[in-house]
Every structure is written in structure tokens, then in C-alpha cells.
């Protein structure tokens, strides 16, 4: 078990972790692999709102043409990964995309099984531990209880290990957690972050709404009957305005999801506000691969983009631990809580919390949208 204060480049740049709820107030491109066995159509300029391309160029320095190539590539990669993960079963150890090389990597404890037409152009990676084994280690960390001096744990898929992130110099607490959980030390890497997570609080995704006339959050995605958002924004029974509604279900901590049933007369729109005078239509909720471009919409900082770093991350907020989150390089600030995360036109999650801000950058975590839909038996409103 090693200790390092400098993360590898793919995981750098964390600052203060916070839930994105605030008080009430007035790259590089990658070429598309040839011979696509998955048959995913290329993404063209007509498929992607201009504001999304503008935001990718602003936040990631990616020219528009390269961004379109990358979005086509990652759409194809998501289809390949889904098929291969099912075929690999309990030997599957995760997948990621390489932004520079334009390659898809699929890890397995039995890499010889990464084969068939869908594996054309895919790099098979031998892994010591399956993704299920790594997530089981994380579950044991959760069971042991993340102390206040531990910010988060997550699975670093390319490294095939679990990362436990301590707050500041409190690395002893992280090491003690690993020991208390009784997990293999060689499967865990300790790192640190300067600041602890906290909450942010401040029917089109990304728009503001208000809770009990006291705080502001952002709409995640329209669903039949209302919208989904972050659980820390409001408890079950809390009332909302703009639009008028009621929290019919809410889970936080442990999870960070909720759904709000809105009053009749509110129009539910299968789209997300791009904060440039337009909207991005939501076409589905297929999970993107690690390394994929994603963009977030929120009522404080608008439309911001970054990449996926990890899935099934556990984060220790002041209110308790939240597990199963998506870790990204997208920035966010108070009031963005609950807002939409998209990969192209595919819904990914709702904003939970993070570190840093949109002036200096940071890390933001998202509750996966498919888990929310399953928890409450909801269906996305599609554009």
C-alpha cells in the first residue's frame, strides 16, 4: 500500500469536495476506430449543439472537429464495452478510453476472452482483480465506516486498484480504515486531497428550482411525472417552487438521489439547458466509458465540460458517506446540485458534490441517473 500526494496525470486536480447546494439567492481529439463492429453512426455537427462544442473547446481546449471525432469514438466505445462486459461476466475488470491514441481498453482476468467482431480495435488488458472484486473491497471500506478524515474511495480501473483519498495530511486515518476493513493492502493506493467534501445547495435539466423557499438546486432530468435531482437538496415531503412540486422520494447520505413530482400544468421537456440560448435533447441513458467527454448543466455555473475518471466512487461528506458516484474532472459550484450530466445526448447522472470551483478547476461527483430511475421506477422524458 503506497502513499502519494501527487496523483497520476489522469486523476489530478482535486480541491475542496462539496455538495452542490447553495442558499436561496435573488485534450485532445481521438480518431474513430475503423471497421466499427458495433455499427454506431458517426456523430456529426448536426447531432451536437454548437454550445456543447463551444464548451468542450473552452474547458478542454479541443477544436470542434476533434471534439466531433472524439464523441463518435466514445459513442462506439460505449457500445463495444457494454457487449464485452456482458460476455466477460465475472472476469470483467473495467474499461477506459485513451484520449490521445483513440483506443478502447477492456481489462479482464481472462483477457483471451476479449474476442469476436465487437473486439476489433479493442486492446485487451490482463488484470489481477475483476471489477467485482475491487468493488467488493470498496464495500468493505464502506462497512468499516469512512472517518471524517477520509474524503473518498474509488476504483482506478486502469491501475486495477482501489484508491483511498485522505483529507490533507490525515493519512493515518486512511491507513487505519484499510486495516480495519481487512482488505488486501496491495490492492489499495492512498492519496490525499487538500480539502474535505461538503454540500453545495444553492422542467428542463440544469434549470434552477427552489426548496421550501430557503435554498436553490438544479433540475437533473425530466421524468414521467416530474424530475430527478440530488437527495441532499430536499427530504421526502419538501415542497418546491419554479416548478411547483413535492419531493416524493429522497435518499441521502448513502445515496444522493431524489425525485420531485410536479403539479399539473408544468411541461416536462426531455432536454437540458446549455446556457447559451439553446437546449440539448436527451436521447437515452447509456453509460459512457472512463475517459469519455461529459458536460454538466447547473443553475450557478451553467454548462461545463470535462472527462469521466471513475465509477462506483464513495465520497465522505460532512453528512456521511455516499457510494456509487461518478468521479469527473468537470467543475461545479454551490447551486449546481442536482443538475444534469450528459455524454453527448446520453443522460449520465445528477450533480452531487465536489471540490474546487469553475475558476481554478476541480473534481465533481455525480449520482448515476440509471440508479435513480430503477430506485423509483421512473422513465426519462426523451427529446
Amino acid at each position: 500500500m503506497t502513499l502519494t500526494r501527487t496523483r497520476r496525470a489522469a486523476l489530478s486536480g482535486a480541491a475542496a469536495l462539496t455538495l452542490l447546494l447553495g442558499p436561496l439567492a435573488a485534450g485532445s481529439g481521438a480518431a474513430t476506430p475503423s471497421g466499427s463492429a458495433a455499427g454506431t453512426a458517426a456523430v456529426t455537427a448536426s447531432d451536437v449543439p454548437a454550445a456543447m462544442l463551444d464548451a468542450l473547446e473552452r474547458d478542454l481546449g479541443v477544436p470542434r472537429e476533434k471534439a466531433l471525432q472524439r464523441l463518435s469514438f466514445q459513442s462506439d466505445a460505449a457500445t463495444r464495452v457494454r457487449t464485452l462486459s456482458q460476455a466477460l461476466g465475472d472476469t470483467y475488470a473495467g474499461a477506459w478510453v485513451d484520449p490521445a491514441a483513440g483506443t478502447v481498453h477492456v481489462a479482464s482476468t481472462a483477457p483471451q476472452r476479449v474476442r469476436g467482431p465487437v473486439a476489433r480495435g479493442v486492446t485487451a488488458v490482463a488484470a489481477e482483480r475483476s471489477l467485482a472484486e475491487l468493488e467488493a473491497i470498496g464495500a468493505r471500506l464502506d462497512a468499516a465506516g469512512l472517518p471524517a478524515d477520509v474524503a473518498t474511495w474509488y476504483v482506478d480501473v486502469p491501475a486495477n486498484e482501489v484508491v483511498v483519498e485522505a483529507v490533507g495530511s490525515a493519512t493515518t486515518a486512511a491507513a487505519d480504515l484499510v486495516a480495519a476493513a481487512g482488505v488486501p493492502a496491495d490492492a489499495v493506493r492512498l492519496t490525499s486531497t487538500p480539502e474535505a467534501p461538503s454540500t453545495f445547495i444553492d422542467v428542463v435539466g440544469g434549470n434552477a428550482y427552489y426548496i421550501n423557499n430557503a435554498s436553490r438546486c438544479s433540475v437533473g432530468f425530466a421524468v414521467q411525472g416530474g424530475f430527478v435531482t440530488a437527495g441532499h437538496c430536499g427530504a421526502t415531503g419538501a415542497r418546491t417552487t419554479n416548478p411547483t412540486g413535492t419531493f416524493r422520494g429522497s435518499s441521502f447520505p448513502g445515496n444522493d438521489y431524489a425525485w420531485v413530482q410536479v403539479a399539473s400544468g408544468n411541461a416536462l421537456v426531455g432536454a437540458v439547458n446549455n446556457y447559451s440560448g439553446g437546449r440539448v435533447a436527451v436521447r437515452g441513458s447509456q453509460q459512457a466509458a472512463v475517459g469519455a467527454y461529459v458536460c454538466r448543466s447547473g443553475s450557478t455555473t451553467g454548462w461545463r465540460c470535462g472527462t469521466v475518471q471513475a465509477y462506483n466512487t464513495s465520497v465522505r461528506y460532512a453528512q456521511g458517506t455516499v457510494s456509487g458516484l461518478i468521479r469527473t474532472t468537470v467543475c461545479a459550484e454551490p447551486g449546481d446540485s442536482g443538475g444534469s450530466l450528459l455524454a453527448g445526448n446520453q443522460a449520465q447522472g445528477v450533480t452531487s458534490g465536489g471540490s474546487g470551483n469553475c475558476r481554478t478547476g476541480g473534481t465533481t461527483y455525480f449520482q448515476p441517473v440509471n440508479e435513480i430511475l430503477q430506485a423509483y421506477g421512473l422513465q426519462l422524458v426523451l427529446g
Side-chain angles (χ1 to χ4, degrees), residues 124-194:
V125 179
E128 182 180 351
R129 303 172 186 86
S130 70
L131 184 60
E133 290 174 315
L134 292 172
E135 291 179 340
I137 289 173
R140 290 171 67 178
L141 295 173
D142 283 342
L146 272 62
D149 290 336
V150 171
T152 176
W153 71 260
Y154 61 92
V155 174
D156 184 341
V157 171
N160 196 233
E161 61 189 1
V162 174
V163 178
V164 178
E165 191 172 71
V167 178
S169 60
T171 53
T172 300
D176 289 346
L177 169 64
V178 173
V183 299
D186 62 354
V188 178
R189 183 173 87 249
L190 299 184
T191 64
S192 62
T193 183

Side-chain angles (χ1 to χ4, degrees), residues 165-270:
E165 191 172 71
V167 178
S169 60
T171 53
T172 300
D176 289 346
L177 169 64
V178 173
V183 299
D186 62 354
V188 178
R189 183 173 87 249
L190 299 184
T191 64
S192 62
T193 183
E195 302 176 62
S198 62
T199 53
F200 278 177
I201 286 190
D202 191 350
V203 167
V204 171
N207 282 0
Y209 70 95
Y210 303 87
I211 306 98
N212 293 333
N213 294 318
S215 57
R216 170 173 60 86
C217 271
S218 301
V219 173
F221 297 95
V223 297
Q224 291 182 350
F227 63 88
V228 294
T229 188
H232 72 265
C233 290
T236 301
R239 303 303 299 270
T240 70
T241 53
N242 193 36
T244 301
T246 304
F247 278 77
R248 295 303 185 192
S250 180
S251 179
F252 177 79
N255 304 297
D256 194 5
Y257 56 61
W259 90 279
V260 175
Q261 183 179 36
V262 299
S264 60
N266 290 294
L268 301 172
V269 180

